[in-house]
Amino acid sequence: MTSTRYTTANEEETIELGRVLAARWPRPCIVLLIGNLGAGKTTLAKGIAEGLGSARADDVSSPTFPLIHEYGEEGDLYHIDLYRLDTMEEVETLGLEEIFSRRAVVLLEWAERFPALLPAERIEIRIEAIEEETRVLTVTELP
Ligand code: ADP
Ligand code: MG
């Protein structure tokens, strides 16, 4: 298990980090984005979408409704937010296993609440707000 820490000083630096990280990832690739509201999960997703060439940062928004956003002509990026779901039964209606089997990068917000769902092989990105515009991002590749 390897963890790497990054510090960003503003929103644009987080987007740039997303671009750099995403360009290295294999596919399929399951990525948990972990952090409080306003930490910067969706901001990082903007950069990831750009790094994959799936969407422009401005076209990436929080997947509130629907809960699954799909980007790229070949569906090479999924961004999923489980914040509003409470039970495993509700999560099962999303068909995540099928999405996990595609040759895609899958970004998950609030998925740590449903550990039974998660493949052992995954990347976890923890984002902490340290100051108004300072964020610490810890990237861990599991197992
Ligand atoms: P989340 O999806 O985790 O709820 P968002 O990405 O939607 O969070 O929002 C993050 C907010 O924090 C945005 O308003 C953004 O402008 C602000 N922000 C300030 N500094 C940073 C930074 N270094 N990285 C990311 N976002 C930042
Ligand atoms: Mg968000």
Side-chain angles (χ1 to χ4, degrees):
M1 182 178 99
T2 50
S3 283
T4 312
R5 270 161 63 104
Y6 303 89
T7 302
T8 64
N10 53 52
E11 182 177 354
E12 179 48 44
E13 284 189 15
T14 296
I15 293 174
E16 178 57 21
L17 178 62
R19 288 189 193 107
V20 172
L21 291 174
R24 301 177 191 157
W25 290 337
R27 305 205 209 156
C29 182
I30 312 299
V31 182
L32 269 63
L33 304 179
I34 304 171
N36 293 331
L37 290 175
K41 302 181 295 298
T42 298
T43 302
L44 185 69
K46 290 172 183 279
I48 291 167
E50 290 207 337
L52 297 171
S54 303
R56 292 176 42 234
D58 285 350
D59 295 328
V60 175
S61 60
S62 185
T64 304
F65 188 83
L67 301 178
I68 301 179
H69 285 180
E70 183 179 343
Y71 299 100
E73 283 178 10
E74 288 156 43
D76 32 26
L77 175 64
Y78 293 85
H79 185 191
I80 301 167
D81 189 348
L82 304 182
Y83 185 70
R84 279 163 194 79
L85 303 186
D86 292 316
T87 65
M88 199 62 195
E89 287 68 38
E90 287 175 308
V91 174
E92 274 162 8
T93 64
L94 295 178
L96 294 185
E97 270 163 31
E98 200 272 322
I99 291 176
F100 289 172
S101 73
R102 296 185 196 170
R103 198 178 163 277
V105 170
V106 182
L107 304 179
L108 293 160
E109 299 193 26
W110 303 102
E112 67 278 12
R113 295 168 56 229
F114 302 98
L117 184 89
L118 304 175
E121 199 170 314
R122 62 184 191 263
I123 295 171
E124 294 192 350
I125 305 181
R126 258 165 231 283
I127 311 178
E128 288 172 90
I130 303 297
E131 281 175 53
E132 190 69 24
E133 289 197 275
T134 307
R135 302 290 186 273
V136 171
L137 299 96
T138 308
V139 180
T140 305
E141 292 181 25
L142 297 166

